[in-house]
Amino acid sequence: PAPALTTAPTTATATATAPPKPPPFPLLTTWAVPTAGLLRKGETWHVQHGRVEVRGHREPLAAGVDLPMIQIPAGRFLMGSPSEEEEHSTFEGPQHEVSLESFLMGQTPITQAQWQAVAEWRERPGERWGRQLKLNPSHFADQADSPQRPVEQVSWQDAMEFCSRLSQRTGRRYTLPSEAQWEYACRAGSTTPFAFGETLTPELANYNARFTYANGPKGVYLGHTTPVGTFPANAWGLVDMHGNVWEWCLDEWRDTYVGAPVDGSAWVAGAGESRSTARLLRGGSWVSDPHNCRSAYRNRDHPDNLNQGRGFRVCCLPQD
């Protein structure tokens, strides 16, 4: 038999046999998503429908239940709203440029079916759940289409536990989006108050359409959540970024953007800094007036609070 190797391999040999570095994201595929935009003709707003091809990953959660994640391109954008924007608040300024790396964003808010799939998981060796999750926490949980409606009545703490379980089970970096990631993905390259244009119409989102924004049309107030995908996506293929349910973000609340990170990271207190007890919410909900659904609008709540208008979506960060 050949003698045992007693010398260390050369650098060249070690390099040649080292395992390849894993890709930053899982294997991506493409699919088409209905989208829309607004065109004004005289005093009338017209919805222009189209389709956009997106690139992403479908994370399997259970039999018949997956989690579509869309790749958001790296880039820069101006975060916040200008002082001349209708219903502008000082909370939305000062505007500042943010640069972001590419990441994956949930195509939709987490649905009741997706929530229940993860809540039903049982710990495997090496996994540790941090808190119990109710299997069916939503108020709107007794309809035939409830599995495809957003999960609601979940706290920020619950949403973080959901992300933790996803990360442990998949080996990927799942988390809530930072506020900057959320607004960047919501805008999808737009600079108008909404991703669709200057106003919001009942054909584009689920909100309190008895009220209007910027001469937009009135409509029927539905009074409940709707299945994800009922309304068209923005230019990057994300649905329900305006309305349906508020979405939790990672960040702690600040009254302005003075001193905010410019690299897309979440704004949380560092060592020696005072912490905020409130966490960010974005996007508006089925009960919101349209101005609360603007891309730049900011809301907040205590991380343990929950109600019928609070949901979330997840993002997946590239591996180191």
Side-chain angles (χ1 to χ4, degrees):
L5 183 65
T6 57
T7 58
T10 64
T11 301
T13 303
T15 302
T17 58
K21 185 178 180 179
F25 294 123
L27 181 64
L28 303 181
T29 59
T30 59
W31 63 91
V33 181
T35 188
L38 278 174
L39 178 66
R40 187 167 187 171
K41 296 181 179 179
E43 296 299 314
T44 306
W45 292 100
H46 294 268
V47 177
Q48 292 185 309
H49 293 276
R51 296 181 74 79
V52 61
E53 189 169 88
V54 300
R55 185 170 173 82
H57 168 68
R58 296 181 182 273
E59 192 74 76
L61 304 179
V65 181
D66 61 14
L67 173 59
M69 303 290 296
I70 290 179
Q71 185 177 28
I72 306 301
R76 298 180 296 174
F77 84 114
L78 201 58
M79 186 173 181
S81 67
S83 58
E84 64 270 18
E85 183 169 299
E86 187 172 327
E87 301 286 353
H88 164 84
S89 164
T90 57
F91 293 158
E92 300 164 16
Q95 283 189 293
H96 56 291
E97 188 176 82
V98 179
S99 298
L100 301 95
E101 295 182 0
S102 179
F103 59 97
L104 299 179
M105 185 81 150
Q107 184 176 3
T108 74
I110 294 299
T111 66
Q112 294 182 36
Q114 291 164 343
W115 173 271
Q116 185 169 345
V118 173
E120 288 180 335
W121 285 352
R122 294 295 174 261
E123 290 180 347
R124 295 176 179 174
E127 297 176 340
R128 179 178 287 276
W129 301 161
R131 61 191 280 136
Q132 293 295 316
L133 296 178
K134 293 182 179 179
L135 294 183
N136 200 7
S138 300
H139 175 77
F140 298 108
D142 57 355
Q143 305 298 314
D145 59 7
S146 291
Q148 292 309 308
R149 294 193 189 197
V151 68
E152 18 86 13
Q153 296 197 140
V154 291
S155 68
W156 183 89
Q157 303 282 12
D158 293 333
M160 290 296 288
E161 171 65 19
F162 183 96
C163 293
S164 174
R165 294 188 185 191
L166 271 179
S167 297
Q168 292 181 65
R169 183 60 55 94
T170 66
R172 312 191 214 284
R173 297 171 60 194
Y174 277 100
T175 184
L176 292 177
S178 70
E179 187 182 14
Q181 288 171 327
W182 191 97
E183 185 174 328
Y184 178 63
C186 175
R187 289 187 178 280
S190 67
T191 58
T192 47
F194 304 91
F196 303 111
E198 296 289 344
T199 190
L200 200 58
T201 79
E203 293 180 66
L204 297 174
N206 178 11
Y207 62 99
N208 189 345
R210 294 177 298 191
F211 298 90
T212 64
Y213 180 88
N215 298 317
K218 288 187 176 182
V220 175
Y221 172 48
L222 299 178
H224 55 75
T225 58
T226 46
V228 300
T230 298
F231 298 93
N234 68 11
W236 287 350
L238 303 170
V239 302
D240 289 341
M241 296 298 285
H242 303 298
N244 217 1
V245 289
W246 288 100
E247 299 180 11
W248 289 109
C249 294
L250 269 179
D251 307 57
E252 298 169 354
W253 171 261
R254 302 291 195 286
D255 288 342
T256 73
Y257 286 133
V258 174
V262 295
D263 62 354
S265 60
W267 197 1
V268 295
E273 296 180 279
S274 61
R275 304 194 69 90
S276 170
T277 57
R279 295 285 174 165
L280 261 295
L281 288 156
R282 287 302 205 107
S285 76
W286 58 273
V287 76
S288 299
D289 294 358
H291 82 270
N292 296 134
C293 300
R294 289 177 297 119
S295 298
Y297 187 82
R298 308 173 70 221
N299 195 4
R300 64 191 185 275
D301 202 354
H302 190 278
D304 285 328
N305 288 350
L306 43 84
N307 68 33
Q308 303 162 15
R310 303 279 193 270
F312 69 104
R313 78 178 69 210
V314 300
C315 71
C316 183
L317 305 181
Q319 302 294 96
D320 293 330

